[in-house]
Amino acid sequence: MAKRLFQRVADEAKPPAIWGRPGCGPPDYAAYVLLDDLVESGAWLDLELKRPFLAAWVNDEDFDNPDLNDPIVALGQSDLRKFAAMDPVVDLESLRGMKVYVIEPYLR
């Protein structure tokens, strides 16, 4: 069985991250925790995996109108741009409309 996208990102990042770390808030914050871990560790991720991971965020219906009053969402917006700018660099706008099948918790 193929690993889910976010689990693959956590496993294949260098250094690896933890997907679904216990005690890090509600389950729907898991994606934000993973993204923050990637940024804080300076993780490298193969472009073929980094692009769909970032596309899942960019193509979320709330990406263009985030609730910046929620500190987790505000941090996620900042981390997303930081991670995209890390090597290998990904232009977030180039990911618009990219179809990604994500079965992990909704990105909110």
Side-chain angles (χ1 to χ4, degrees):
M1 179 179 200
K3 288 184 183 178
R4 294 178 175 183
L5 176 62
F6 290 5
Q7 184 64 62
R8 283 190 59 213
V9 167
D11 291 347
E12 296 180 29
K14 292 175 182 58
I18 298 173
W19 168 239
R21 185 175 333 136
C24 288
D28 54 344
Y29 283 172
Y32 293 99
V33 172
L34 173 60
L35 180 59
D36 192 59
D37 285 351
L38 295 170
V39 170
E40 290 299 314
S41 70
W44 182 90
L45 190 62
D46 184 85
L47 191 57
E48 294 304 314
L49 191 53
K50 187 174 184 178
R51 291 184 83 245
F53 175 68
L54 293 172
W57 293 82
V58 169
N59 292 299
D60 180 83
E61 64 187 35
D62 293 330
F63 177 74
D64 290 320
N65 190 22
D67 177 8
L68 297 178
N69 291 322
D70 181 332
I72 300 298
V73 173
L75 178 62
Q77 288 284 317
S78 173
D79 281 345
L80 183 69
R81 285 158 178 76
K82 288 177 186 175
F83 190 59
M86 293 165 51
D87 188 42
V89 175
V90 175
D91 173 24
L92 292 176
E93 288 301 313
S94 72
L95 303 175
R96 296 233 184 227
M98 182 178 179
K99 301 290 184 204
V100 180
Y101 183 66
V102 178
I103 42 182
E104 278 90 5
Y106 193 66
L107 296 175
R108 282 199 185 183

